[in-house]
mmCIF file of all heavy atoms in Angstrom:
data_model
loop_
_atom_site.group_PDB
_atom_site.id
_atom_site.type_symbol
_atom_site.label_atom_id
_atom_site.label_comp_id
_atom_site.label_asym_id
_atom_site.label_seq_id
_atom_site.Cartn_x
_atom_site.Cartn_y
_atom_site.Cartn_z
ATOM 1 N N TYR A 219 -60.820 88.445 -142.595
ATOM 2 C CA TYR A 219 -59.746 89.437 -142.589
ATOM 3 C C TYR A 219 -59.986 90.469 -141.481
ATOM 4 O O TYR A 219 -59.094 90.783 -140.699
ATOM 5 C CB TYR A 219 -59.622 90.146 -143.948
ATOM 6 C CG TYR A 219 -58.569 91.221 -143.877
ATOM 7 C CD1 TYR A 219 -57.222 90.890 -143.998
ATOM 8 C CD2 TYR A 219 -58.902 92.541 -143.574
ATOM 9 C CE1 TYR A 219 -56.243 91.852 -143.848
ATOM 10 C CE2 TYR A 219 -57.930 93.507 -143.419
ATOM 11 C CZ TYR A 219 -56.600 93.153 -143.568
ATOM 12 O OH TYR A 219 -55.630 94.104 -143.396
ATOM 13 N N ARG A 224 -55.729 93.746 -136.689
ATOM 14 C CA ARG A 224 -55.608 94.474 -135.430
ATOM 15 C C ARG A 224 -56.935 95.174 -135.105
ATOM 16 O O ARG A 224 -57.347 95.247 -133.956
ATOM 17 C CB ARG A 224 -54.466 95.488 -135.503
ATOM 18 C CG ARG A 224 -54.092 96.029 -134.136
ATOM 19 C CD ARG A 224 -52.922 96.987 -134.188
ATOM 20 N NE ARG A 224 -51.678 96.361 -134.649
ATOM 21 C CZ ARG A 224 -50.518 96.994 -134.701
ATOM 22 N NH1 ARG A 224 -50.424 98.237 -134.297
ATOM 23 N NH2 ARG A 224 -49.437 96.378 -135.162
ATOM 24 N N LYS A 227 -59.028 92.773 -133.316
ATOM 25 C CA LYS A 227 -58.627 92.604 -131.913
ATOM 26 C C LYS A 227 -59.185 93.729 -131.060
ATOM 27 O O LYS A 227 -59.644 93.507 -129.937
ATOM 28 C CB LYS A 227 -57.105 92.554 -131.796
ATOM 29 C CG LYS A 227 -56.548 91.239 -132.323
ATOM 30 C CD LYS A 227 -55.033 91.205 -132.352
ATOM 31 C CE LYS A 227 -54.585 89.853 -132.901
ATOM 32 N NZ LYS A 227 -53.226 89.900 -133.414
ATOM 33 N N ASP A 234 -65.954 93.091 -125.126
ATOM 34 C CA ASP A 234 -65.878 92.577 -123.759
ATOM 35 C C ASP A 234 -65.652 93.661 -122.717
ATOM 36 O O ASP A 234 -66.109 93.543 -121.596
ATOM 37 C CB ASP A 234 -64.750 91.545 -123.646
ATOM 38 C CG ASP A 234 -65.067 90.290 -124.430
ATOM 39 O OD1 ASP A 234 -66.220 90.166 -124.887
ATOM 40 O OD2 ASP A 234 -64.174 89.451 -124.607
ATOM 41 N N LEU A 242 -57.535 103.543 -123.274
ATOM 42 C CA LEU A 242 -56.334 103.321 -124.075
ATOM 43 C C LEU A 242 -56.295 104.271 -125.269
ATOM 44 O O LEU A 242 -55.358 104.244 -126.056
ATOM 45 C CB LEU A 242 -56.288 101.881 -124.585
ATOM 46 C CG LEU A 242 -55.819 100.817 -123.605
ATOM 47 C CD1 LEU A 242 -55.802 99.460 -124.291
ATOM 48 C CD2 LEU A 242 -54.426 101.131 -123.084
ATOM 49 N N TYR A 244 -58.800 104.460 -127.691
ATOM 50 C CA TYR A 244 -59.621 104.045 -128.830
ATOM 51 C C TYR A 244 -60.996 104.680 -128.730
ATOM 52 O O TYR A 244 -61.477 104.958 -127.634
ATOM 53 C CB TYR A 244 -59.769 102.520 -128.855
ATOM 54 C CG TYR A 244 -58.494 101.807 -129.182
ATOM 55 C CD1 TYR A 244 -57.711 101.225 -128.182
ATOM 56 C CD2 TYR A 244 -58.052 101.710 -130.494
ATOM 57 C CE1 TYR A 244 -56.524 100.582 -128.477
ATOM 58 C CE2 TYR A 244 -56.866 101.060 -130.803
ATOM 59 C CZ TYR A 244 -56.113 100.496 -129.796
ATOM 60 O OH TYR A 244 -54.939 99.859 -130.096
ATOM 61 N N ARG A 245 -61.630 104.879 -129.888
ATOM 62 C CA ARG A 245 -63.007 105.356 -129.916
ATOM 63 C C ARG A 245 -63.899 104.199 -130.353
ATOM 64 O O ARG A 245 -64.049 103.943 -131.546
ATOM 65 C CB ARG A 245 -63.159 106.540 -130.877
ATOM 66 C CG ARG A 245 -62.360 107.735 -130.422
ATOM 67 C CD ARG A 245 -62.794 109.027 -131.061
ATOM 68 N NE ARG A 245 -62.108 110.119 -130.387
ATOM 69 C CZ ARG A 245 -62.556 110.710 -129.289
ATOM 70 N NH1 ARG A 245 -63.719 110.339 -128.779
ATOM 71 N NH2 ARG A 245 -61.865 111.661 -128.709
ATOM 72 N N TYR A 249 -65.278 102.065 -134.239
ATOM 73 C CA TYR A 249 -65.105 100.646 -134.563
ATOM 74 C C TYR A 249 -66.451 99.980 -134.805
ATOM 75 O O TYR A 249 -66.633 99.215 -135.752
ATOM 76 C CB TYR A 249 -64.321 99.945 -133.449
ATOM 77 C CG TYR A 249 -62.851 100.245 -133.551
ATOM 78 C CD1 TYR A 249 -62.344 101.475 -133.150
ATOM 79 C CD2 TYR A 249 -61.969 99.334 -134.115
ATOM 80 C CE1 TYR A 249 -61.005 101.776 -133.291
ATOM 81 C CE2 TYR A 249 -60.627 99.621 -134.260
ATOM 82 C CZ TYR A 249 -60.149 100.848 -133.853
ATOM 83 O OH TYR A 249 -58.825 101.137 -134.013
ATOM 84 N N ASP B 76 -62.922 114.058 -123.599
ATOM 85 C CA ASP B 76 -63.433 112.736 -123.244
ATOM 86 C C ASP B 76 -62.273 111.749 -123.059
ATOM 87 O O ASP B 76 -61.106 112.105 -123.263
ATOM 88 C CB ASP B 76 -64.470 112.239 -124.256
ATOM 89 C CG ASP B 76 -63.858 111.973 -125.623
ATOM 90 O OD1 ASP B 76 -62.652 112.241 -125.792
ATOM 91 O OD2 ASP B 76 -64.585 111.512 -126.510
ATOM 92 N N PHE B 89 -56.729 100.277 -113.496
ATOM 93 C CA PHE B 89 -57.941 100.253 -112.684
ATOM 94 C C PHE B 89 -57.750 99.481 -111.391
ATOM 95 O O PHE B 89 -56.865 98.642 -111.266
ATOM 96 C CB PHE B 89 -59.089 99.640 -113.481
ATOM 97 C CG PHE B 89 -59.581 100.562 -114.541
ATOM 98 C CD1 PHE B 89 -58.881 100.699 -115.735
ATOM 99 C CD2 PHE B 89 -60.698 101.325 -114.338
ATOM 100 C CE1 PHE B 89 -59.307 101.570 -116.706
ATOM 101 C CE2 PHE B 89 -61.139 102.197 -115.299
ATOM 102 C CZ PHE B 89 -60.435 102.322 -116.486
ATOM 103 N N PRO B 97 -59.915 87.574 -123.706
ATOM 104 C CA PRO B 97 -59.759 86.560 -124.751
ATOM 105 C C PRO B 97 -58.441 86.689 -125.525
ATOM 106 O O PRO B 97 -58.065 85.768 -126.238
ATOM 107 C CB PRO B 97 -60.948 86.792 -125.692
ATOM 108 C CG PRO B 97 -61.586 88.048 -125.283
ATOM 109 C CD PRO B 97 -60.949 88.559 -124.038
ATOM 110 N N HIS B 98 -57.761 87.811 -125.384
ATOM 111 C CA HIS B 98 -56.523 88.006 -126.135
ATOM 112 C C HIS B 98 -55.320 87.484 -125.360
ATOM 113 O O HIS B 98 -55.339 87.391 -124.140
ATOM 114 C CB HIS B 98 -56.316 89.490 -126.444
ATOM 115 C CG HIS B 98 -57.285 90.034 -127.441
ATOM 116 N ND1 HIS B 98 -57.653 89.349 -128.574
ATOM 117 C CD2 HIS B 98 -57.977 91.201 -127.489
ATOM 118 C CE1 HIS B 98 -58.524 90.070 -129.270
ATOM 119 N NE2 HIS B 98 -58.743 91.189 -128.625
ATOM 120 N N LEU B 106 -52.106 96.035 -128.325
ATOM 121 C CA LEU B 106 -53.222 96.985 -128.449
ATOM 122 C C LEU B 106 -52.979 98.250 -127.636
ATOM 123 O O LEU B 106 -53.550 99.299 -127.930
ATOM 124 C CB LEU B 106 -54.540 96.336 -128.013
ATOM 125 C CG LEU B 106 -55.067 95.207 -128.896
ATOM 126 C CD1 LEU B 106 -56.445 94.767 -128.434
ATOM 127 C CD2 LEU B 106 -55.130 95.626 -130.362
ATOM 128 N N ARG B 112 -54.770 105.171 -133.420
ATOM 129 C CA ARG B 112 -55.899 104.402 -132.874
ATOM 130 C C ARG B 112 -57.067 104.318 -133.834
ATOM 131 O O ARG B 112 -58.106 103.773 -133.505
ATOM 132 C CB ARG B 112 -56.422 105.098 -131.614
ATOM 133 C CG ARG B 112 -55.800 104.912 -130.267
ATOM 134 C CD ARG B 112 -54.687 104.011 -130.135
ATOM 135 N NE ARG B 112 -54.314 103.812 -128.733
ATOM 136 C CZ ARG B 112 -53.289 103.107 -128.333
ATOM 137 N NH1 ARG B 112 -52.499 102.548 -129.210
ATOM 138 N NH2 ARG B 112 -53.037 102.946 -127.054
ATOM 139 N N THR B 117 -55.791 100.633 -137.988
ATOM 140 C CA THR B 117 -55.722 99.281 -137.402
ATOM 141 C C THR B 117 -56.209 98.225 -138.377
ATOM 142 O O THR B 117 -55.813 97.063 -138.289
ATOM 143 C CB THR B 117 -56.539 99.194 -136.112
ATOM 144 O OG1 THR B 117 -57.877 99.625 -136.365
ATOM 145 C CG2 THR B 117 -55.947 100.045 -135.014
ATOM 146 N N LEU B 118 -57.068 98.612 -139.312
ATOM 147 C CA LEU B 118 -57.582 97.657 -140.287
ATOM 148 C C LEU B 118 -56.468 97.088 -141.160
ATOM 149 O O LEU B 118 -56.521 95.944 -141.594
ATOM 150 C CB LEU B 118 -58.639 98.364 -141.151
ATOM 151 C CG LEU B 118 -59.710 97.523 -141.811
ATOM 152 C CD1 LEU B 118 -60.353 96.541 -140.847
ATOM 153 C CD2 LEU B 118 -60.773 98.435 -142.393
ATOM 154 N N GLU B 126 -42.307 97.450 -133.047
ATOM 155 C CA GLU B 126 -43.363 97.094 -132.099
ATOM 156 C C GLU B 126 -43.003 95.825 -131.347
ATOM 157 O O GLU B 126 -43.194 95.712 -130.137
ATOM 158 C CB GLU B 126 -44.698 96.912 -132.834
ATOM 159 C CG GLU B 126 -45.317 98.230 -133.278
ATOM 160 C CD GLU B 126 -46.594 98.035 -134.096
ATOM 161 O OE1 GLU B 126 -46.694 97.032 -134.841
ATOM 162 O OE2 GLU B 126 -47.471 98.891 -133.992
#
Side-chain angles (χ1 to χ4, degrees):
Chain A
Y219 176 81
R224 193 177 297 184
K227 287 174 180 159
D234 292 350
L242 281 182
Y244 291 101
R245 296 198 171 273
Y249 282 76
Chain B
D76 67 356
F89 287 79
H98 290 318
L106 293 186
R112 277 358 187 184
T117 54
L118 205 48
E126 286 176 327

